[in-house]
């Protein structure tokens, strides 16, 4: 399409980077922290690549000052990180763990010392195991009040210093992999009705948290971060265009419409009712969802890839195709919902070693669609490339492929801004290398290399990659060097 106009990044643009507690902190038994669902799950044989755990991870728990000093050297304007619920409430409820509060207060203060805005994710998948044991965690409506109590505790202790809050990270991913494909805790398979009920509980936790933040006098920005995979119809045949509409309703709008409008997509809800798997809502839930939708500040987007949609016959591919978690290119399988849609590979795009399409234009597409559909500001809370990085004998990491990936995505983001999309922040995933959940430590995302492999050990020393120096220049020039 002919370029509408060119614009620079806003002068107050928040150039950032991101992480998650379980993936970087380590210190899993320290500081009064309780057991999480991930601490338990990774100990089940075969669940993660080569049995990797977050017991030590990148050891950020002990090295946060070193890491934040590197962020300052890079010039970050914001650092997005998550708080581990079990560090604040070891049993999920009860008395506050003051050691946990002190740790995150130190992280926040260290960021502010360097002029880095802390952007806090309240929940990034690590749930206190005690709540799973007590009532199956997200499967029970009891979790809503416990979550809100936890969130209000964070607002009480940190609300005067934190201006940006993300309630839930990738609700669509942790619920899908937890209750449909058994790849994340609690490791359940094809539990479709429970899946939709779990999501409703998560929506209510998000909504009540937003309302609590405002009721407590919070004047900062608050919203959720969604793993957005925009879709393209395979061609202009009506059945493929309808497959795209089905995909969008069930895989994108099901979440974003609730965050932004406080309601579920009509066609998707009718489909679930026909299947008998729709979520049950308590009296007053719809009103609460709508009130919260009117008070969110942004739509958070974690963008990595786009997808293609095509008609899927009733006996077609299912949701349970193999996901590439090894980095063996081409080992992933096509997935879909029989009779609804399937997601074939896009022949026009390159892919990563983990079979994710590389599509900078998809980020542009995301921003345009959110702006037109929801009229909300946007925070790109994650965007990055997982790859096999190699450290040379002289401690250099030449990740020109990551530089190219980030550069093209930022150029696409700039185009979206030029067309009127209000983008507040952009966070690379991730700042340091970290545990990539099921993929182990071999799938590296960081601007900073961490010296460790799948086995525990290694020096854990930090090394700046070429992408670190490149992103530093981008920040210094506010993106004009692109």
């Amino acid at each position: 399409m002919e370029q509408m106009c060119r614009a620079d990044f806003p002068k107050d643009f928040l150039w950032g980077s991101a992480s998650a507690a379980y993936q970087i902190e380590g210190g899993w038994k320290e500081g009064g922290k309780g057991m999480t669902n991930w601490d338990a799950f990774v100990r089940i044989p075969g669940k993660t690549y080569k049995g990797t755990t977050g017991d030590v991870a990148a050891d950020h728990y002990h090295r946060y000052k070193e890491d934040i000093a590197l962020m300052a050297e890079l010039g970050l304007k914001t650092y997005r990180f998550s708080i581990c619920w079990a560090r604040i409430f070891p049993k999920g409820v009860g008395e506050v763990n003051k050691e946990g509060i002190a740790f995150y207060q130190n992280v926040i203060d260290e960021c502010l010392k360097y002029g880095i805005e802390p952007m806090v994710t309240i929940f990034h998948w690590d749930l206190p195991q005690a709540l799973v044991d007590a009532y199956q965690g997200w499967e029970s409506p009891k979790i809503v009040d416990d979550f809100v109590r936890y969130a209000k505790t964070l607002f009480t202790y940190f609300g005067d210093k934190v201006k940006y809050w993300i309630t839930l990270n990738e609700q669509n991913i942790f619920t899908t992999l937890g209750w449909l494909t058994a790849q994340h805790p609690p490791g359940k398979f094809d539990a479709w009705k429970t899946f939709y009920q779990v999501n409703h509980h998560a929506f209510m936790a998000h909504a009540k948290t937003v309302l609590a933040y405002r009721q407590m006098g919070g004047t900062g920005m608050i919203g959720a971060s969604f793993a957005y995979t925009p879709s393209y119809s395979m061609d202009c045949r009506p059945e493929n265009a309808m497959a795209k509409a089905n995909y969008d309703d069930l895989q994108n709008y099901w979440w974003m419409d609730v965050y932004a409008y406080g309601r579920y997509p009509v066609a998707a809800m009718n489909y679930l009712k026909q299947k008998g798997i729709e979520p049950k809502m308590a009296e007053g839930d719809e009103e609460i969802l709508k009130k919260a939708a009117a008070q969110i500040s942004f739509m958070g987007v974690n963008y990595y890839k786009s997808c293609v949609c095509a008609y899927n016959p009733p006996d077609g591919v299912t949701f349970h195709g193999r996901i590439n978690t090894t980095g063996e290119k081409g080992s992933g399988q096509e997935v879909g919902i029989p009779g609804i849609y399937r997601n074939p590979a896009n022949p026009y795009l390159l892919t990563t070693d983990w079979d994710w399409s590389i599509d900078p234009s998809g980020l542009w597409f995301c921003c345009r669609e959110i702006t037109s559909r929801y009229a909300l500001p946007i925070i790109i809370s994650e965007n990055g490339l997982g790859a096999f990085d190699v450290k040379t004998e002289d401690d250099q990491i030449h990740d020109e492929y990551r530089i190219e990936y980030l550069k093209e995505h930022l150029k696409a983001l700039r185009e979206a801004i030029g067309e009127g999309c209000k983008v507040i922040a952009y966070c690379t995933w991730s700042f340091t290398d970290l545990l990539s959940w099921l993929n182990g430590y071999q799938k590296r995302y960081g601007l900073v290399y961490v010296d460790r492999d799948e086995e525990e050990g290694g020096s854990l020393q930090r090394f700046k990659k070429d992408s670190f120096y490149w992103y530093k220049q981008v920040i210094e020039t506010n993106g004009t060097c692109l």
Side-chain angles (χ1 to χ4, degrees), residues 227-235 240 243-248 251-252 303-310 334-336 341-349 351 355-359 361-363 365-366:
Y228 191 2
T229 302
S231 66
Y232 310 129
S233 174
M234 188 168 71
D235 56 30
N240 291 332
K244 169 183 161 52
N246 291 340
Y247 174 91
D248 286 341
Q251 296 299 328
N252 286 329
Y303 175 75
Y304 292 95
K305 57 190 173 71
S306 60
C307 72
V308 172
C309 296
E334 185 177 307
V335 298
Y341 68 82
R342 62 184 178 90
N343 299 129
N346 190 328
Y348 302 104
L349 297 176
T351 62
D355 297 325
W356 291 15
S357 62
I358 300 174
D359 183 15
S361 294
L363 182 57
F365 185 101
C366 284

Side-chain angles (χ1 to χ4, degrees), residues 5 29 62 65 80 82 112 125 156 170 185 196 202-203 213 218 295 318 327 343 368 371 395 418 438 467 471:
C5 61
K29 287 184 176 180
H62 299 107
K65 288 188 176 182
R80 179 195 169 212
S82 75
L112 293 174
W125 303 0
T156 297
E170 295 187 350
Y196 283 107
F203 283 131
Y213 179 64
Q295 297 187 42
T318 72
N343 299 129
R368 283 274 298 271
T371 300
D395 296 333
L438 303 178
S467 57
Y471 194 42

